[in-house]
Amino acid sequence: MKTENEARAGLIYGIAAYGIWGLFPLYWPLLEPAGAVEILAHRMVWSLVVVGLALLALRRWAWVRELLRDPRRLGLITLAAALITVNWGVYIWAVNAGHVVEASLGYFINPLVSIALGVLVLKERLRPAQWAAVGIAVAAVVVLAVGYGRLPWISLVLACTFGTYGLVKKKVNIGGLESLAAETAVQFLPAFGYLVWLGAQGESTFTSEGVGHTALLAATGLVTALPLVCFGAAAIRVPLSTIGLLQYLAPVFQFLLGVLYFHEAMPPERWAGFSLVWLALTVLTWDALRTARRSRAALAAATAGATAGAAEAGAPVSPAEVEAEADAEAEAKAAEAEAAALSTPSAQPGR
């Protein structure tokens, strides 16, 4: 019963995390007349405040000393901070400029960009279904470029910065709250300096638009950290494959808001492009889940065979059998992780 309750709670946390990320397009317009850069700067500053208080309450500071002693990881954190700065800034601008649908496309194609980065950077080999998904995605970009009369640059910038951010975060390998704290610490001084300069120029909206506006700008830190906390709670309670499927909720919500709430245009060629993207994601998800099931079945068969053989012979399992079982288990875990990696979980704060 406890396991079922934990799984149910994990599902609720996961839906909450991706639901909040998906509903972000409703929040950023509330911050007008602040411009995108001012909103971005406030998000950086207040995110550090919120995450710092959370880590202080949890007494999780040991990682800071280890990070400061590792110049390579510090460099990667700085790169991650730069990537997420571009991602956040373009996303906020896109939403407030009336490009919610195009922004949602960026997060739809993000898993495909992650796969492309795996091939180009990590020299990974793709299965036939993955190649098919990438090919369909390329065709989708061409169709959308024709439909928009230009490359869907907002989508491509969001997907590429988000995908690269996830790759960098994978190499840094620290927890979500810790990572966000480190990245916003890098962002803090430039962001705070910009806000001070904006105030000196008399162009800041922080104190000139009423208490409600001030509170909404300060709350950018909370709305950045809250879904991350929910995601962390979900990740320890539900299978990674479930997390990988839940991640599609965010761009789906964004797309629906763009079409139904903001009434953005969706001519036939744009529907065709999005349909191709959804087809590519269906192929990709089906292949990942199928591979994970096969690997788990192989692990179960290897374990059962080794146990049965040892029992029949009346002898302990041989080292070779132990190694084979370990290899099968590692393969199963890798396939399970791949099914989840479609979402690049470590990158979720970029939403």
Side-chain angles (χ1 to χ4, degrees):
M1 182 63 68
K2 182 179 178 181
T3 302
E4 291 181 2
N5 289 337
E6 287 185 350
R8 189 179 298 110
L11 189 62
I12 292 172
Y13 281 124
I15 293 172
Y18 289 106
I20 293 171
W21 279 317
L23 295 176
F24 267 9
L26 294 176
Y27 185 75
W28 304 126
L30 298 177
L31 305 181
E32 294 178 335
V37 179
E38 183 180 1
I39 296 171
L40 174 64
H42 275 289
R43 187 179 188 185
M44 294 172 179
V45 168
W46 293 108
S47 291
L48 180 60
V49 172
V50 171
V51 177
L53 290 173
L55 291 174
L56 185 64
L58 296 171
R59 298 182 180 179
R60 282 161 50 179
W61 293 106
W63 59 275
V64 175
R65 186 176 302 173
E66 295 178 7
L67 183 62
L68 292 176
R69 291 175 178 174
D70 192 336
R72 176 180 172 275
R73 293 177 80 195
L74 278 174
L76 289 173
I77 284 289
T78 303
L79 177 58
L83 288 166
I84 207 59
T85 296
V86 175
N87 186 274
W88 281 359
V90 171
Y91 183 73
I92 292 169
W93 173 85
V95 169
N96 285 359
H99 300 289
V100 176
V101 169
E102 191 174 347
S104 75
L105 176 64
Y107 293 111
F108 275 124
I109 66 177
N110 175 67
L112 298 157
V113 170
S114 296
I115 284 181
L117 288 172
V119 173
L120 296 174
V121 179
L122 303 179
K123 308 302 179 184
E124 296 177 352
R125 299 182 63 181
L126 299 187
R127 295 184 294 273
Q130 292 174 313
W131 277 116
V134 172
I136 294 170
V138 171
V141 171
V142 172
V143 171
L144 287 164
V146 172
Y148 280 104
R150 58 172 173 78
L151 279 175
W153 69 268
I154 294 172
S155 307
L156 295 176
V157 169
L158 289 175
C160 290
T161 54
F162 203 47
T164 308
Y165 174 76
L167 181 64
V168 172
K169 290 282 288 290
K170 184 176 181 180
K171 293 182 178 294
V172 175
N173 192 29
I174 60 176
L177 281 175
E178 292 85 349
S179 179
L180 185 59
E183 290 155 23
T184 50
V186 172
Q187 296 169 329
F188 180 82
L189 285 179
F192 186 73
Y194 174 77
L195 292 176
V196 171
W197 176 83
L198 204 63
Q201 298 296 311
E203 298 178 6
S204 172
T205 66
F206 186 61
T207 58
S208 63
E209 300 295 324
V211 176
H213 181 74
T214 300
L216 285 171
L217 283 173
T220 53
L222 183 62
V223 300
T224 298
L226 181 59
L228 178 62
V229 172
C230 291
F231 174 82
I236 62 175
R237 289 175 171 85
V238 298
L240 291 176
S241 55
T242 302
I243 295 292
L245 293 174
L246 285 176
Q247 66 98 16
Y248 292 121
L249 287 176
V252 166
F253 285 172
Q254 292 168 13
F255 175 79
L256 292 175
L257 284 172
V259 174
L260 302 177
Y261 183 79
F262 293 103
H263 304 292
E264 294 185 15
M266 282 295 292
E269 58 271 21
R270 207 165 293 175
W271 278 112
F274 269 85
S275 297
L276 286 172
V277 170
W278 296 331
L279 175 60
L281 292 176
T282 300
V283 171
L284 197 63
T285 304
W286 167 79
D287 178 68
L289 294 177
R290 181 188 61 167
T291 302
R293 284 196 300 269
R294 287 181 174 178
S295 298
R296 285 195 297 268
L299 172 61
T303 303
T307 303
E312 184 177 346
V317 179
S318 69
E321 290 172 325
V322 171
E323 184 177 353
E325 183 178 339
D327 289 343
E329 183 176 2
E331 184 178 349
K333 288 182 178 179
E336 180 85 5
E338 181 184 345
L342 297 178
S343 62
T344 320
S346 64
Q348 293 306 326
R351 304 278 182 183

